[in-house]
Amino acid sequence: LPFYGLAGIRTSTTLAEVVLRVGGSEIEGEFVVSHVTRESDERVLCGGRFYPATALDQFQLQKVIVGLQSIHPS
């Protein structure tokens, strides 16, 4: 995830009310930061774990993952 101008993003930061957008799907949940890489004073890249908000969001996430796997089989 790219963040521009946000101070205080570090490992274990929890971002509530996140909307994950993939294709036409919007999945609500929270994101817990697991790593942070500062590219510049204004740009921070981070990755982590996304937790869907509801069972429907979890189902949508599973559909997105299956769709991505069908495009890029391993």
Side-chain angles (χ1 to χ4, degrees):
L1 296 174
F3 290 90
Y4 297 92
L6 290 179
I9 297 294
R10 51 183 56 84
T11 301
S12 299
T13 298
T14 299
L15 304 173
E17 299 181 18
V18 170
V19 177
L20 176 65
R21 291 184 179 94
V22 180
S25 297
E26 290 191 356
I27 305 162
E28 295 181 15
E30 68 179 29
F31 182 81
V32 179
V33 177
S34 63
H35 71 83
V36 177
T37 303
R38 181 167 296 282
E39 291 196 328
S40 69
D41 287 341
E42 297 176 357
R43 183 170 166 87
V44 175
L45 297 179
C46 69
R49 175 120 179 144
F50 180 78
Y51 295 93
T54 67
L56 181 57
D57 290 308
Q58 177 66 41
F59 178 72
Q60 285 294 102
L61 180 59
Q62 289 171 334
K63 283 178 39 179
V64 166
I65 291 169
V66 167
L68 291 172
Q69 288 173 333
S70 70
I71 295 170
H72 302 285
S74 52

